[in-house]
Amino acid sequence: MIVLGLGGAVSHDPAAALYIDGKLVAAAEEERFLRDKHAKGKMAYEATKFCLDFAGIRPDQVDVVAFPYAKIGLNSPARWHYARRYWYAPDRALTALFNGNRRYQRNHKQVMKLLDDLGIGSSRVKFVPVEHHLAHASSAYHLSGFKGKCAIIGIDGKGEYATTFLGYGENGKIHKIKEFYDPDSLGGLYGALTEYLGFEMLDGEFKVMGMAPYGDPKRYDFSPLLTYSGKDFHLDTKIVNCIGLRRYRENDQSFYFSQKLVDWLGPKRHGDEIDDPYIDYAASIQDLLEKVSLELIEYYLGDIIRETGKVCFAGGVALNVKLNQRIIALPHVKELFVQPAASDAGTAVGAASYASVAAGVPVEPMQHVFLGPKYSTEECIEACKKHLEKPQWQQVDNVPETAADILAKGNPLAWFQGRMEFGPRALGCRSILGDPSHSGVADRINAQIKYRERWRPFCPSILDRVAPEILQTDHPSPYMTFTFDVAEQWKERIPEVVHEDGTARAQIVTRETNPRYYALIEELEKHNGNGVVLNTSLNRRGEPMVCSPEDALNMFYACDLEYLMMEDILIKK
Ligand SMILES: [Fe+2]
């Protein structure tokens, strides 16, 4: 059975994912093909074409199309909650009650058009709408590989109406225990503060999290932003996650917070220069997010966690690696699985896996994220020949050894290999690498790729046999979705990838999932004794991760990086 999952239900991060008989064959974000970060307002045309091409499937062979957005009935508390809480914007409140599936209709029309445009056939194929948070839940639970019962958490900005999902999975079925609805959204709250701190929502949340360890959460009490009881929470929409006239405005732009927040905390942060007191605000919002999330998890899922020790998590907030570290540290948690494409791109996989299981075809656990396009050495050479900068390339016999030599001399290296990653993290196929024992390499990367965000710490990829010693745990971490405390003796050995608070957002690399990357780190280990490489994504600020050899060359020549290893060829400036 062939199931195509499509993301893009909430106007950003469209993606496509293809399941064939329960196996995830291909998945990719549309932004990578369009070269437009988050591809806002687009549908996943190019990503769908890629998935079908890669699998060698004709459009008319697709059996099921799953979409992570469903109709919400008037008997659901969601629309009533929304209407009640948005009383201050009566047009929105009334729309929720009288025309509450307006967005669904719009989405449906766009998807049907895509299916017809691509020859899949809207009237032929079976269309399965999946509630947004069920899609997130499925992307976590069905891909976790957990046997037996496990707790499921979903936290994001919002889907149709739901913002937070707490439930469990058992025998291949997802059960809902509790949902919270817009505007009561932890993702929305964090997003509003992200805007206040001068970053873009959907993108800047990582930077707020990166800023937080520099500040003191005790200096400012952020509890007025919401009321919560451990079992319930309500945002104060007079301050945050507000719409219409309540929104703060600046130069024709409006924000998800109000004038009240500015009166309370001072002007919205501009540029990236002023740190004080904004780093303390970052610390406070991170602290509040952790506190409320952990209390909700305990209240609704505590019993299940004590029974099973297994938790899985998706939704944009699941990319908050600090929160994830706290979840792992809960006394009865044995293992946390976070869907690596936790934000909305991952709902393509979520909807598809949900529909596959519902049709009686169980899906395989996630093995890796290398689900995008790949290019041969010949294709890389072709791209060089066509490129305006006339790159000089040389074919390399031993790629890992040559790459390790470059790194060991303190050079950053652009590393383009194999299939592009699905999800926001570069995990060794579209990466910029450095030797983390080489002091100053992080600054060097920042200088060479220009305009890299200050508040994004660099992260390590670690060989599986070394990781337990460095991270002091056996917890799996293949996708850089958790931070761990770095062992004291390692902090000095790999200073460039240890954050301000002594943690590292680590990827543990196995030979089976990425043999060439593993071999490279082993070669680097021969130079310096550390089975660790600094790894950041191959893109410049504001750009999506590189997809094709042409993208890699464009990026390489638009910055000061000096070395690019693309499959078996090395390009030097
Ligand atoms: Fe979402």
Side-chain angles (χ1 to χ4, degrees):
M1 192 176 64
I2 301 174
V3 185
L4 172 70
L6 294 172
V10 285
S11 308
H12 58 82
D13 295 300
L18 191 70
Y19 271 97
I20 301 180
D21 297 331
K23 189 174 172 48
L24 181 55
V25 177
E29 287 103 323
E30 187 74 2
E31 62 162 27
R32 309 282 167 86
F33 302 96
L34 301 185
R35 309 308 303 149
D36 172 17
K37 196 140 197 216
H38 300 300
K40 288 181 188 162
K42 302 280 170 38
M43 297 301 276
Y45 276 77
E46 299 308 316
T48 301
K49 282 191 236 166
F50 152 72
C51 287
L52 297 177
D53 276 358
F54 187 88
I57 295 289
R58 287 193 323 270
D60 64 1
Q61 288 178 292
V62 175
D63 299 306
V64 175
V65 170
F67 191 67
Y69 207 88
K71 279 187 195 168
I72 302 298
L74 199 53
N75 55 351
S76 155
R79 285 165 64 181
W80 294 96
H81 179 93
Y82 184 96
R84 200 167 51 243
R85 297 277 284 126
Y86 278 104
W87 61 266
Y88 68 88
D91 55 324
R92 298 282 279 270
L94 291 171
T95 301
L97 291 182
F98 294 107
N99 193 10
N101 290 307
R102 196 171 56 162
R103 191 161 188 175
Y104 172 82
Q105 308 297 358
R106 200 171 58 212
N107 271 332
H108 183 262
K109 210 167 134 189
Q110 287 179 327
V111 173
M112 293 304 125
K113 181 171 175 353
L114 177 146
L115 298 181
D116 289 331
D117 289 349
L118 296 184
I120 295 168
S122 63
S123 52
R124 182 198 61 83
V125 81
K126 184 176 182 214
F127 179 67
V128 179
V130 180
E131 271 182 40
H132 188 79
H133 268 275
L134 281 178
H136 276 311
S138 176
S139 77
Y141 170 59
H142 289 308
L143 279 81
S144 68
F146 288 158
K147 307 250 183 300
K149 197 173 174 182
C150 74
I152 305 174
I153 311 166
I155 310 179
D156 67 357
K158 76 162 184 166
E160 298 89 355
Y161 292 93
T163 64
T164 307
F165 173 101
L166 298 152
Y168 65 97
E170 194 173 21
N171 300 326
K173 273 201 129 137
I174 296 170
H175 303 265
K176 212 182 275 186
I177 295 174
K178 173 72 182 172
E179 272 184 340
F180 292 91
Y181 306 112
D182 197 33
D184 298 311
S185 165
L186 294 173
L189 168 69
Y190 206 89
L193 266 291
T194 297
E195 287 194 331
Y196 172 75
L197 292 172
F199 305 116
E200 222 178 295
M201 207 189 249
L202 293 181
D203 226 39
E205 285 82 352
F206 293 116
K207 295 167 221 169
V208 175
M209 190 174 61
M211 239 179 162
Y214 293 87
D216 177 0
K218 292 193 189 69
R219 280 186 67 193
Y220 298 92
D221 175 17
F222 270 20
S223 59
L225 295 177
L226 52 75
T227 46
Y228 76 110
S229 62
K231 90 180 233 205
D232 206 356
F233 73 97
H234 285 88
L235 298 197
D236 186 343
T237 58
K238 289 198 179 87
I239 313 177
V240 283
N241 206 18
C242 45
I243 59 168
L245 294 174
R246 281 192 182 174
R247 281 200 189 172
Y248 177 75
R249 273 160 219 281
E250 232 177 51
N251 311 326
D252 290 338
Q253 226 195 320
S254 71
F255 299 93
Y256 282 87
F257 57 86
S258 71
Q259 178 68 41
K260 277 192 160 197
L261 188 75
V262 177
D263 294 343
W264 172 27
L265 299 177
K268 172 183 176 296
R269 183 167 171 267
H270 288 273
D272 200 13
E273 301 311 315
I274 309 161
D275 296 348
D276 197 41
Y278 299 97
I279 49 172
D280 296 322
Y281 299 157
S284 290
I285 193 63
Q286 177 66 27
D287 191 59
L288 188 63
L289 172 78
E290 290 175 14
K291 231 184 255 171
V292 178
S293 305
L294 292 173
E295 286 195 24
L296 293 174
I297 291 167
E298 168 55 31
Y299 186 85
Y300 291 100
L301 306 175
D303 288 351
I304 297 167
I305 293 173
R306 276 184 283 281
E307 180 190 336
T308 70
K310 305 258 196 232
V311 186
C312 58
F313 189 8
V317 176
L319 294 173
N320 194 300
V321 294
K322 298 280 169 200
L323 170 60
N324 296 346
Q325 184 173 12
R326 297 279 303 271
I327 296 174
I328 292 174
L330 290 173
H332 299 280
V333 170
K334 291 193 199 96
E335 191 174 337
L336 171 64
F337 172 80
V338 169
Q339 163 55 238
S343 57
D344 282 329
T347 58
V349 172
S353 55
Y354 189 89
S356 184
V357 174
V361 182
V363 297
E364 282 183 358
M366 194 154 207
Q367 315 280 349
H368 56 74
V369 296
F370 310 120
L371 296 162
K374 67 173 178 194
Y375 301 86
S376 64
T377 298
E378 291 65 38
E379 286 171 301
C380 295
I381 291 173
E382 269 318 297
C384 288
K385 285 182 182 164
K386 283 189 196 144
H387 202 267
L388 288 173
E389 297 282 348
K390 305 262 171 269
Q392 297 297 305
W393 72 88
Q394 69 183 91
Q395 193 125 2
V396 174
D397 290 335
N398 194 333
V399 170
E401 209 179 298
T402 311
D405 283 344
I406 294 168
L407 292 171
K409 293 190 178 105
N411 298 297
L413 170 69
W415 175 255
F416 178 105
Q417 304 286 333
R419 293 184 72 179
M420 181 180 72
E421 295 88 345
F422 181 59
R425 299 279 86 89
L427 296 170
C429 287
R430 301 288 185 277
S431 293
I432 298 169
L433 308 177
D435 175 356
S437 68
H438 221 281
S439 164
V441 81
D443 287 342
R444 211 155 165 196
I445 293 176
N446 278 334
Q448 289 190 355
I449 62 171
K450 293 173 199 162
Y451 317 120
R452 192 183 188 278
E453 299 86 345
R454 265 169 79 207
W455 301 102
R456 264 178 54 185
F458 286 102
C459 304
S461 298
I462 308 177
L463 296 178
D464 51 0
R465 59 179 161 75
V466 193
E469 187 192 320
I470 300 178
L471 305 174
Q472 313 176 88
T473 171
D474 289 325
H475 195 283
S477 184
Y479 306 125
M480 281 195 179
T481 42
F482 316 121
T483 45
F484 298 98
D485 295 323
V486 175
E488 221 37 64
Q489 71 275 20
W490 276 90
K491 285 181 184 163
E492 278 176 20
R493 288 173 69 172
I494 49 169
E496 301 288 295
V497 289
V498 181
H499 306 169
E500 182 69 12
D501 55 1
T503 65
R505 172 159 61 85
Q507 173 198 7
I508 300 174
V509 186
T510 56
R511 197 188 301 275
E512 302 74 60
T513 53
N514 197 340
R516 184 170 268 193
Y517 193 42
Y518 197 91
L520 160 69
I521 307 173
E522 282 198 309
E523 287 297 332
L524 188 60
E525 189 185 31
K526 287 183 194 160
H527 285 271
N528 58 26
N530 305 325
V532 187
V533 70
L534 176 156
N535 173 10
T536 189
S537 57
L538 186 57
N539 59 270
R540 293 189 310 154
R541 182 175 188 158
E543 291 173 355
M545 209 190 289
V546 156
C547 177
S548 68
E550 190 194 351
D551 302 335
L553 291 167
N554 289 342
M555 188 249 164
F556 185 62
Y557 285 104
C559 69
D560 293 335
L561 283 169
E562 289 168 10
Y563 299 91
L564 166 62
M565 187 71 88
M566 210 158 45
E567 293 299 336
D568 293 350
I569 60 170
L570 174 65
I571 300 150
K572 279 194 255 183
K573 272 191 198 142

